Amino acid sequence: MAGIRQGEPVSCGPLTDAEPHGVAAVVREPGRHPGWSWCTVERRVPVATHWGSFVAVVDSGQLVRIEPPGDDPAPSPIGPGMVTAAEDSARVLRPAVRKGWLDGLPRAGETARGADAFVEVSWDDALTLVSEELRRVRAQHGDSAVFGGSYGWASAGGFHNAQGQLQRFLALDGGYTDSRNTYSTAALEVILPHVIGGAPWSYQSRMPMWDEIAESCELVVAFGGLALKNSQVNPGGLARHRTRDLQRKCREAGVRFVNVSPIRSDTADFLDAEWLPVLPNTDTALMLGIAHTMLVNDWHDEDFLTRCCEGFDRFASYLTGDVDGVVKDADWAARITGISRDSVLDLARRLSAQRSLIMVNYAIQRADHGEQPIWMSVVLAAMAGSLGRPGCGWGAGYATMDATGVAPGRPSVASMPRVANPVADFIPVARIADTLLEPGATIDYDGQRLTLPDLRLIYWCGGNPFHHHQDLHRLTRAWQRPDTVVVHEAWWNTTAKFADIVLPVATSLERDDFAAGFSDPHLIAMPKVREPAGEARTDHRIFAALAARLGYEREFTQSRSEIDWVRHLYDRTRANLGDDAALPDFDDFWQRARGVELPALSGPFPGSFEALRSDPQRFPLATPSGRIEIFSETIDSFGYDDCTGHPAWFEPVEWLRADLADRFPLHLISNQPASRLHSQYDNGGHSLASKIHGREPVTVNPQDAASRGIENGMIVRVFNDRGSCLAGAILSDAVMPGVIQLSTGAWWDPARPGHSGTLDRHGNPNTLTRDRGCSRLSQGPSAHSALVDVEVYDGPVDEVLAFTPPHLEH
């Protein structure tokens, strides 16, 4: 600081690749001391998150603000809002143990999980309690009694991956019951390997990229839409948001878009998309009506169906009604879907006559029989004649993540070494409540018969089951069953409040790491921005301390510090890529604010539809027939009555044509929020600013609002037989009549915590959703099959306590 004089100008500029993570500006406060200037030093530190890369401005150790880096064409507003959450009152500052658990009291009433007070303890005591409980449960009930599924996005970071750290720790201690698939795409993950072969996520590299669509496609039909809000995120990290500009490029190239969704805003205004407001859960029926129209008019691609597909003749018999006596024509589809007969006929004609692409969003498979629209969309693309042609055919999840359709993948990046799990037991990810409520019961899953294990200890790290699971009152009842629930959390969210032992963890701003996003071709350094709040520790440090008590610290840490691990994983990545990447050494990388770019991957990729079309004998798919399985002998052999050998229409349990709609006449769409990622940073500034009277906003069509006396900004009660929640009303004709939209992720705030059925004050839609598997094949969640009603709320308007810690004793 010796060279700075009072009154002398000091330049301040943006962080560049050449600038180290250090001094970026000097700010003077003249007058604090006579004759000289008081100076503070600002550091500008790169921050990588699931919703983009940013720059954190730190002044004298305090986080001041978070800014977009300047080269991101569409930065997410979630990032700057992280500042308000960094040190808010909801931070977990010290280890805490539920009082009733310590005292051995029943998990009921005021000492139930979720309702009880907590006692803050020392780290030494907390670690002793956790390690001894792990020993007890394993000794008395076996290793499968420990659940380490711990599903969730956690924070970005290649080394500090919470679920990976937890499962490595548990595997070294004897193993654990795991979960399989994801809440986002369980039905898709199970059905696609049967239909097109390959790993569940391999379709990402086999579908057209946006650049190809702009060059070669004429018509995009998007089932479930293309909501840009979802493209804010990318699991693992994100350098720059490109989806918006790539979509705009497609429109400027003349590509036409059709939005098949109950929500008009599921496509960007600049796409000028034609809106077909389909009845929720009826996409499969619409596709079947289109397929029948193609078939009877001889508009289908007979050559491709014959050479490259298996079982079309059996499916055609279903379309024409030879199987069940029901002709799946345009009139039939119109009666079910609410889409006019003429629109069905027109879509069939256009899809067949133009270079077309059929897209399906993830939301449409999180419903009753969610496998069917995914399977049927592939069949429809095969019939239309564009599958396997450049920029055309079929794809899933466009705009759901920024990487989808932007890049087909990235080179492999080293991660924390996994340890084989000695326990073979697993559960489908969305069947956790079933498992807790009915241990020993059997369920079907993808041709297997599973016995649900008796879980006695739940170890949750990096996720929030009280966000992503359905029917939270049922989960509340289930959550009282295990002996012990251990949670790592940075904030006192619902999952922490429903735990027995809560260990405070550092956030992604409070540790050293690097980001490597899904398909994103960048590695981004993540140096620590600030010290952890209170007594928080990283997940790795916690598990290392527990491993030391349990006798395998060296195996867990491999005698490396955390920064040694980050350096080691980067160096392994650099060595594996070799001259193809020419990555700088770690010290150079660590100083690069915008990270380094990995070499692009190029096709053809395994399972390419273009290769299949060109020569199905030479380039077979990894299916039993080597072709697209329109009829699957494998699935047919399972004998499931809710997922047969070809795609079909199954009436949902809850939809607007059901008898239940007489009592609950509105269909609930609980889609992803624009103001946060799932429930992450619901306490951040951007999410808090979106609330209405402190509640999550619910969008209601003006027709439905008028008949109920609802006006903009009113607090309303959304309800069905499963529960009720409060929300703030927004009136908009962007949702079709008969549908309301309430995003997921508001931290659940039950008025009587621990008591099933109580009112949620904050607006979490999973108070209302149905906790049943979408079929016996995938057992995925069926959140979007939920009927509700809404009314003006005239009861006592209690304060929202979602962000308030429980009572803490010291």
Side-chain angles (χ1 to χ4, degrees):
M1 310 296 291
I4 301 172
R5 300 182 183 134
Q6 185 174 10
E8 183 175 275
V10 179
S11 63
C12 176
L15 192 64
T16 66
D17 277 345
E19 191 172 336
H21 310 146
V23 178
V26 181
V27 182
R28 292 180 305 283
E29 300 179 18
R32 287 189 60 165
H33 295 277
W36 60 289
S37 237
W38 183 263
C39 301
T40 61
V41 178
E42 278 190 355
R43 293 173 54 240
R44 297 172 64 83
V45 186
V47 172
T49 73
H50 297 305
W51 43 91
S53 298
F54 300 90
V55 176
V57 179
V58 181
D59 185 350
S60 302
Q62 298 296 311
L63 177 62
V64 176
R65 63 188 180 275
I66 292 177
E67 304 172 342
D71 61 350
D72 189 338
S76 168
I78 299 173
M82 295 168 66
V83 177
T84 61
E87 293 189 43
D88 72 7
S89 61
R91 280 302 297 261
V92 182
L93 299 176
R94 285 168 286 280
V97 184
R98 187 171 63 82
K99 193 174 188 316
W101 187 87
L102 280 174
D103 296 339
L105 298 175
R107 297 183 291 275
E110 298 311 308
T111 56
R113 290 190 181 109
D116 209 351
F118 282 79
V119 178
E120 293 186 326
V121 300
S122 69
W123 267 108
D124 187 63
D125 287 344
L127 294 170
T128 298
L129 290 172
V130 174
S131 57
E132 289 182 350
E133 186 63 358
L134 279 166
R135 284 195 184 100
R136 183 195 70 80
V137 169
R138 291 187 188 279
Q140 293 182 6
H141 304 287
D143 295 322
S144 65
V146 177
F147 182 66
S150 189
Y151 171 84
W153 279 58
S155 302
F159 170 65
H160 289 289
N161 177 281
Q163 188 182 48
Q165 294 278 346
L166 167 67
Q167 294 183 348
R168 176 181 171 83
F169 164 75
L170 292 177
L172 287 167
D173 195 32
Y176 58 95
T177 292
D178 198 0
S179 63
R180 188 165 295 182
N181 304 129
T182 68
Y183 277 84
S184 295
T185 57
L188 177 150
E189 291 172 61
V190 175
I191 192 67
L192 281 183
H194 289 292
V195 178
I196 61 172
W201 288 86
S202 65
Y203 68 90
Q204 290 273 344
S205 63
R206 301 156 69 180
M207 60 194 217
M209 299 295 106
W210 285 113
D211 282 333
E212 299 170 314
I213 297 167
E215 182 177 347
S216 302
C217 189
E218 295 176 304
L219 174 68
V220 170
V221 179
F223 290 89
L226 286 165
L228 271 179
K229 63 181 174 60
N230 298 333
S231 68
Q232 293 181 88
V233 303
N234 188 45
L238 177 61
R240 297 171 186 87
H241 294 83
R242 297 187 57 203
T243 297
R244 183 198 65 182
D245 290 350
L246 288 168
Q247 283 191 9
R248 194 185 297 274
K249 178 181 176 182
C250 290
R251 184 67 195 94
E252 291 170 351
V255 181
R256 302 298 303 183
F257 288 82
V258 179
N259 173 26
V260 184
S261 169
I263 301 175
R264 185 179 62 223
S265 55
D266 272 347
T267 51
D269 289 343
F270 62 75
L271 291 180
D272 301 320
E274 175 187 348
W275 182 32
L276 293 182
V278 66
L279 231 58
N281 288 193
T282 67
D283 302 86
T284 302
L286 178 56
M287 294 182 207
L288 287 167
I290 296 170
H292 179 275
T293 303
M294 289 180 179
L295 178 67
V296 298
N297 288 284
D298 199 23
W299 293 343
H300 58 297
D301 187 346
E302 183 70 37
D303 174 70
F304 184 81
L305 293 169
T306 301
R307 293 189 305 110
C308 303
C309 300
E310 180 72 16
F312 178 71
D313 54 341
R314 300 183 68 171
F315 174 69
S317 295
Y318 172 75
L319 286 178
T320 57
D322 294 346
V323 173
D324 57 5
V326 178
V327 179
K328 317 305 184 300
D329 60 11
D331 289 311
W332 172 86
R335 290 193 297 272
I336 292 173
T337 65
I339 302 299
S340 72
R341 173 183 181 274
D342 288 346
S343 293
V344 177
L345 297 174
D346 181 60
L347 265 185
R349 177 186 56 78
R350 292 161 65 191
L351 281 167
S352 302
Q354 297 178 281
R355 298 190 302 274
S356 60
L357 172 63
I358 293 171
M359 297 178 171
V360 284
N361 214 333
Y362 295 157
I364 65 172
Q365 53 91 64
R366 293 195 294 271
D368 264 350
H369 311 101
E371 300 88 354
Q372 302 308 313
I374 301 299
W375 195 352
M376 186 58 217
S377 66
V378 175
V379 174
L380 190 59
M383 293 181 67
S386 292
L387 189 59
R389 301 190 190 279
C392 302
W394 176 88
Y398 287 97
T400 301
M401 302 176 291
D402 189 77
T404 307
V406 175
R410 61 158 168 76
S412 178
V413 173
S415 59
M416 187 76 162
R418 294 187 65 86
V419 176
N421 183 7
V423 173
D425 290 341
F426 70 91
I427 63 171
V429 67
R431 303 276 59 83
I432 179 64
D434 291 355
T435 304
L436 295 174
L437 290 168
E438 302 177 64
T442 57
I443 64 169
D444 289 303
Y445 170 77
D446 198 15
Q448 304 174 61
R449 192 73 179 158
L450 304 179
T451 299
L452 301 179
D454 185 7
L455 302 179
R456 296 303 185 100
L457 187 149
I458 293 177
Y459 208 132
W460 212 281
C461 180
N464 182 0
F466 284 87
H467 149 65
H468 58 243
H469 198 72
Q470 283 66 61
D471 194 348
L472 293 180
H473 293 304
R474 185 170 189 260
L475 183 63
T476 295
R477 297 190 297 274
W479 212 250
Q480 308 301 332
R481 295 296 186 93
D483 298 343
T484 303
V485 177
V486 182
V487 167
H488 292 195
E489 251 305 335
W491 290 278
W492 282 106
N493 62 16
T494 317
T495 299
K497 292 174 181 177
F498 272 78
D500 297 314
I501 303 173
V502 181
L503 304 180
V505 290
T507 70
S508 58
L509 300 176
E510 298 168 345
R511 62 200 189 197
D512 292 319
D513 210 335
F514 68 94
F518 179 79
S519 289
D520 189 88
H522 295 86
L523 290 183
I524 305 170
M526 299 173 62
K528 183 191 298 183
V529 172
R530 45 166 281 164
E531 292 302 315
E535 297 177 18
R537 299 180 178 182
T538 64
D539 295 304
H540 181 79
R541 184 181 172 194
I542 294 169
F543 288 131
L546 287 169
R549 280 169 162 75
L550 295 167
Y552 56 94
E553 179 184 18
R554 179 171 295 180
E555 292 91 333
F556 179 75
T557 66
Q558 294 187 4
S559 301
R560 292 189 180 96
S561 68
E562 292 182 2
I563 191 62
D564 287 342
W565 266 112
V566 175
R567 179 185 292 271
H568 171 70
L569 296 178
Y570 177 84
D571 287 343
R572 275 184 52 201
T573 300
R574 183 174 179 238
N576 291 341
L577 293 176
D579 294 338
D580 289 341
L583 298 182
D585 65 25
F586 178 78
D587 292 331
D588 185 356
F589 163 71
W590 200 243
Q591 295 298 320
R592 295 195 181 198
R594 302 302 294 137
V596 296
E597 188 161 354
L598 302 175
L601 296 182
S602 60
F605 296 95
S608 162
F609 298 125
E610 291 188 35
L612 178 72
R613 176 177 279 278
S614 69
D615 191 338
Q617 300 302 317
R618 185 180 174 192
F619 302 108
L621 302 182
T623 60
S625 65
R627 305 191 293 177
I628 295 170
E629 303 250 322
I630 294 177
F631 187 95
S632 168
E633 296 284 358
T634 300
I635 292 177
D636 191 57
S637 71
F638 298 159
Y640 298 155
D641 57 1
D642 55 2
C643 188
T644 55
H646 58 73
W649 162 251
F650 295 92
E651 184 173 334
V653 173
E654 294 190 26
W655 67 306
L656 289 174
R657 301 280 195 258
D659 292 341
L660 187 64
D662 292 339
R663 294 177 53 219
F664 301 110
L666 300 175
H667 197 116
L668 171 66
I669 300 296
S670 51
N671 57 1
Q672 293 303 318
S675 57
R676 57 186 172 267
L677 169 58
H678 299 299
S679 65
Q680 288 188 36
Y681 285 96
D682 190 31
N683 59 336
H686 186 54
S687 184
L688 292 175
S690 73
K691 309 287 183 180
I692 298 175
H693 303 297
R695 331 279 159 166
E696 189 68 14
V698 58
T699 305
V700 185
N701 184 277
Q703 294 181 33
D704 297 319
S707 64
R708 293 164 172 80
I710 296 171
E711 298 178 2
N712 259 319
M714 281 185 169
I715 295 178
V716 297
R717 186 176 81 102
V718 189
F719 62 96
N720 60 20
D721 288 335
R722 286 180 287 270
S724 61
C725 65
L726 301 183
I730 294 177
L731 274 56
S732 172
D733 62 5
V735 297
M736 63 183 287
V739 171
I740 67 168
Q741 179 266 319
L742 177 63
S743 292
T744 63
W747 289 6
W748 195 44
D749 188 31
R752 297 185 65 208
H755 295 260
S756 184
T758 187
L759 174 73
D760 168 37
R761 294 173 290 219
H762 194 203
N764 187 312
N766 280 327
T767 307
L768 309 156
T769 52
R770 180 171 171 265
D771 183 18
R772 288 292 181 270
C774 60
S775 86
R776 293 158 66 191
L777 183 77
S778 72
Q779 295 288 353
S782 54
H784 289 301
S785 296
L787 293 177
V788 301
D789 204 353
V790 61
E791 64 184 7
V792 175
Y793 181 67
D794 58 4
V797 182
D798 294 335
E799 179 186 1
V800 173
L801 299 179
F803 310 116
T804 302
H807 177 71
L808 296 170
E809 299 180 9
H810 306 284

